[in-house]
Amino acid sequence: MKTNKPESAQTGGPTRAEMDILQILWDHGPSTVRFVNDTLNAQKKAVQYTSTLKQMQVMTDRGLLLRDESSMKHVYTAAVDETSTKGSLLENFVDTHYKGSVSKLLQYFLGNKKASKAELDEIRKLLKEEENKL
């Protein structure tokens, strides 16, 4: 059965390489392949222009990007929202690796990473906000 969700939503979400491209578009807005490729290379991800072009064409076919062909240089825009995309990826991650338990995820992070006082204060604030919603 066909759904209205982009293919990426049906297949578990964007890949790591696709997320790198999406993040650039979310951060900088509509961009050319050259800009995206140069930005990837500046981030120490050595990729060829043709590889970036092909990846962005595939992402357009998958419904992750929109392509404006009105000028000689094609400009690409993210077709998916950053918050909902990252939210879905995080939900899938928690479901898969922590049996859907947010508390187990937090226990892991707090037990294995040194959180600063500012980060702990922010976590407390977020927990209080969530508690007030109940």
Side-chain angles (χ1 to χ4, degrees), residues 1-26:
M1 179 171 93
K2 182 117 174 131
T3 68
N4 289 332
K5 289 182 179 180
E7 182 182 329
S8 62
Q10 297 170 18
T11 59
T15 65
R16 177 69 193 157
E18 290 171 340
M19 282 299 293
D20 290 341
I21 291 170
L22 283 168
Q23 192 63 59
I24 292 167
L25 294 173
W26 289 326

Side-chain angles (χ1 to χ4, degrees), residues 91-105:
E91 284 178 29
N92 288 340
F93 178 81
V94 172
D95 287 346
T96 302
H97 299 286
Y98 294 93
K99 298 180 182 174
S101 174
V102 174
S103 66
K104 286 183 182 180
L105 173 68

Side-chain angles (χ1 to χ4, degrees), residues 50-133:
T50 53
S51 298
T52 303
L53 172 62
K54 182 63 178 169
Q55 183 72 56
M56 291 175 75
Q57 290 170 337
V58 168
M59 291 173 71
T60 300
D61 292 343
R62 292 187 60 212
L64 295 170
L65 301 181
L66 300 172
R67 179 175 50 232
D68 178 358
E69 300 175 359
S70 62
S71 67
M72 270 185 71
K73 291 184 179 183
H74 295 177
V75 176
Y76 289 80
T77 305
V80 293
D81 175 69
E82 181 177 10
T83 302
S84 60
T85 300
K86 289 180 177 180
S88 293
L89 289 171
L90 184 57
E91 284 178 29
N92 288 340
F93 178 81
V94 172
D95 287 346
T96 302
H97 299 286
Y98 294 93
K99 298 180 182 174
S101 174
V102 174
S103 66
K104 286 183 182 180
L105 173 68
L106 283 174
Q107 288 170 8
Y108 171 78
F109 274 112
L110 293 175
N112 291 300
K113 296 273 187 184
K114 290 283 186 191
S116 69
K117 181 175 177 354
E119 289 173 319
L120 291 173
D121 289 344
E122 182 65 21
I123 291 169
R124 283 186 197 94
K125 178 183 167 194
L126 292 169
L127 289 171
K128 185 151 184 81
E129 288 173 5
E130 286 303 309
E131 189 175 76
N132 290 336
K133 290 179 186 177

